Amino acid sequence: MVIRGGRPLSGRVEVSGAKNAALPAIVASLLVDEPVVIENAPKLRDVETQLALVEALGKTARWEGNTILIRGEVSSVEAPGEVVSRMRASFLCLGPLLARFGEAHVPLPGGCVIGARPVDLHLEGLRRLGAEVEVREGVVHARGKLHGGEVWLRYPSVGATEQLLLAGAVIREPVEVVNPAREPEVVDLARLLSAMGAEISFSEDRITIQGGKLKGTGHAVIPDRIEAGTYLLAGAITGGEVEVVGARPEHLTALLAKLEECGVELAAGQRTVRLKARAPWSGVEVETSPYPGFPTDLQPQFTSFLALARGRSVIWERVFESRFGHVGELLRMGARITLQGQAILIEGVEGLRGAEVVATDIRAGAALVLAGLAAHGETRIEGVDHLRRGYENMEGKLAQLGAKAWVEELNGT
Ligand code: UD1
């Protein structure tokens, strides 16, 4: 992606459906043979990968606009390594296949290179529900008739919580997940599973799922809070004025509070957030944590924003142990940042300059896009594939805000 930066963005941009809500929703289709219709799905690479997964397991999937129609019977309980290695969220098929058919064979997942990202909590959880789990040559082999029970997560992992919700939806006894993740995407999955016929309730420290005979259903996924946050930060870092339409402010409270602390003007409506920023903004201290804390998926983008803040900032990355792929690249653009263990120490600078940089994962790529929009001169970001995994029509949306950003394909167009 090539960006000619240095101009304030202004205008309105509409947020797409949440990638991280669409991915488990697609896997939920494996729980039934009846059709499942997913509305407001974002058209992006990771969603295509998840559809390739359920198709490899016997389903057919068809797009109509932003709606996906998934139908057909499950014909295999063996997930292809070629798909699972591309994306971590495809590992979510383990629980539903196992719970429904009594066995599942799923390779250990790939995905973004942001720390070790083990799946021990997923496997321990399924073992607690009666699964026999073996890992041989990189493939998880799970067998057994699952029963109800209480699963305590020592960390509120999003993926492990979703894995257990998906499995619990067909177990005829209550499954209790203690210390679960409470991200809006987890709640959205629970809403879908409830519409399919499971009984799910949230209390202070747990989620209880009573599974049953499920049926197909339709479900509209929630707006993407990380995409919304990315465009808000694009407005902020360029000292611009933008409105993100379709965003749910209640899903963005940690980001909005930090932006206000920096001195950015915000106005939140029911389904929209408007922002007006003027340099210089103040530096702040931020710590990522599970929802409703500051999302790790906005940490790289916020790093870019703070690179241009007045004074010092500190970001503590508490969710992943090495999510700093953007930092070295921001240094090449003139940022003053040092890494100290899990902390990023930022000394604000007055301007960034365009450079040739490399995106190492989805959100690191987004951080470089934001830096490029604010920088003087031209920024060339290699690794657009990462952006395509997580952002629907990013060039188009940036253009709506007046950015000069385009993608040069390898053939030079
Ligand atoms: C999901 C999101 C991802 C986001 C992350 C945290 C999707 C598709 N992806 O990823 O965008 O950054 O939540 O909000 O929804 N962990 C373990 N053992 C496990 C599982 C996780 O130690 O079995 C650790 C991970 O290494 C990591 C932390 O827990 O340090 C958080 O991971 P988790 O919440 O599971 O994230 P994902 O579901 O992979």
Side-chain angles (χ1 to χ4, degrees):
M1 182 178 278
V2 186
I3 301 176
R4 294 238 168 89
R7 68 188 72 217
L9 297 194
S10 72
R12 296 166 57 136
V13 66
E14 203 157 319
V15 66
S16 296
K19 166 176 91 71
N20 288 352
L23 297 178
I26 292 168
V27 168
S29 71
L30 297 171
L31 293 168
V32 288
D33 290 335
E34 292 175 17
V36 170
V37 179
I38 299 164
E39 291 163 33
N40 197 33
K43 273 200 174 138
L44 35 82
R45 196 73 56 89
D46 276 6
V47 170
E48 296 291 356
T49 303
Q50 200 75 317
L51 291 175
L53 171 74
V54 294
E55 287 185 321
L57 296 169
K59 296 274 176 185
T60 58
R62 185 160 55 84
W63 283 93
E64 265 173 34
N66 280 93
T67 298
I68 310 170
L69 182 67
I70 305 173
R71 55 167 83 229
E73 288 178 21
V74 175
S75 57
S76 165
V77 291
E78 281 177 41
E82 186 269 317
V83 180
V84 183
S85 64
R86 271 190 270 156
M87 186 184 66
R88 186 173 164 85
S90 49
F91 191 68
L92 289 178
C93 68
L94 179 70
L97 289 175
L98 169 66
R100 189 172 171 208
F101 299 105
E103 74 177 295
H105 309 274
V106 182
L108 289 167
C112 284
V113 193
I114 47 173
R117 303 187 85 179
V119 288
D120 52 332
L121 297 170
H122 299 232
L123 302 186
E124 280 168 30
L126 293 172
R127 281 193 181 108
R128 287 279 302 166
L129 302 178
E132 279 170 37
V133 181
E134 260 187 300
V135 183
R136 269 184 278 124
E137 289 168 15
V139 179
V140 176
H141 301 275
R143 286 197 173 77
K145 182 167 164 35
L146 299 193
H147 51 68
E150 189 180 272
V151 179
W152 172 74
L153 296 177
R154 62 179 174 278
Y155 183 88
S157 151
V158 172
T161 304
E162 292 174 343
Q163 187 79 265
L164 294 164
L165 282 179
L166 285 158
V170 285
I171 299 174
R172 298 296 177 108
E173 296 161 358
V175 171
E176 295 193 82
V177 185
V178 183
N179 191 31
R182 293 169 182 281
E183 270 63 6
E185 295 76 19
V186 171
V187 177
D188 200 50
L189 174 64
R191 205 163 53 84
L192 166 59
L193 296 173
S194 301
M196 293 172 81
E199 279 174 36
I200 302 180
S201 60
F202 285 73
S203 62
E204 206 172 303
D205 70 332
R206 67 190 60 209
I207 306 177
T208 308
I209 313 123
Q210 166 73 58
K213 176 147 178 49
L214 304 184
K215 57 181 193 310
T217 188
H219 176 76
V221 300
I222 51 171
D224 196 313
R225 64 196 168 100
I226 304 303
E227 190 204 23
T230 302
Y231 290 117
L232 286 173
L233 285 166
I237 197 172
T238 58
E241 202 170 334
V242 301
E243 179 174 7
V244 179
V245 180
R248 295 225 186 137
E250 72 272 24
H251 291 167
L252 287 160
T253 46
L255 172 69
L256 299 183
K258 279 297 158 192
L259 281 170
E260 268 186 339
E261 201 181 320
C262 292
V264 172
E265 265 178 61
L266 292 165
Q270 236 182 0
R271 287 281 192 276
T272 180
V273 181
R274 267 180 293 149
L275 167 152
K276 190 167 162 186
R278 188 141 303 143
W281 43 88
S282 329
V284 289
E285 196 162 325
V286 184
E287 184 173 2
T288 68
S289 62
Y291 190 82
F294 193 95
T296 173
D297 284 354
L298 285 172
Q299 177 266 103
Q301 299 90 313
F302 208 68
T303 305
S304 297
F305 174 65
L306 291 179
L308 287 167
R310 196 177 36 213
R312 286 196 184 148
S313 300
V314 184
I315 303 183
W316 298 93
E317 175 52 61
R318 303 278 194 210
V319 179
F320 290 108
E321 75 278 19
S322 74
R323 189 168 203 174
F324 307 121
H326 52 301
V327 170
E329 302 303 290
L330 289 175
L331 295 181
R332 295 156 56 82
M333 299 179 73
R336 288 176 60 192
I337 306 178
T338 43
L339 281 178
Q340 234 171 64
Q342 294 300 96
I344 302 173
L345 310 181
I346 305 166
E347 195 75 56
V349 293
E350 276 187 16
L352 295 173
R353 49 177 193 274
E356 292 199 11
V357 290
V358 180
T360 49
D361 67 67
I362 303 175
R363 309 305 170 184
L368 298 176
V369 170
L370 298 194
L373 291 169
H376 298 290
E378 191 171 279
T379 296
R380 302 177 76 85
I381 304 170
E382 201 184 299
V384 170
D385 269 5
H386 289 295
L387 294 171
R388 297 236 192 282
R389 284 188 52 195
Y391 288 92
E392 184 174 56
N393 185 23
M394 190 179 223
E395 305 102 272
K397 291 191 184 190
L398 289 173
Q400 275 170 31
L401 296 174
K404 290 250 178 292
W406 64 94
V407 170
E408 273 182 14
E409 303 296 343
L410 283 179
N411 63 12
T413 53

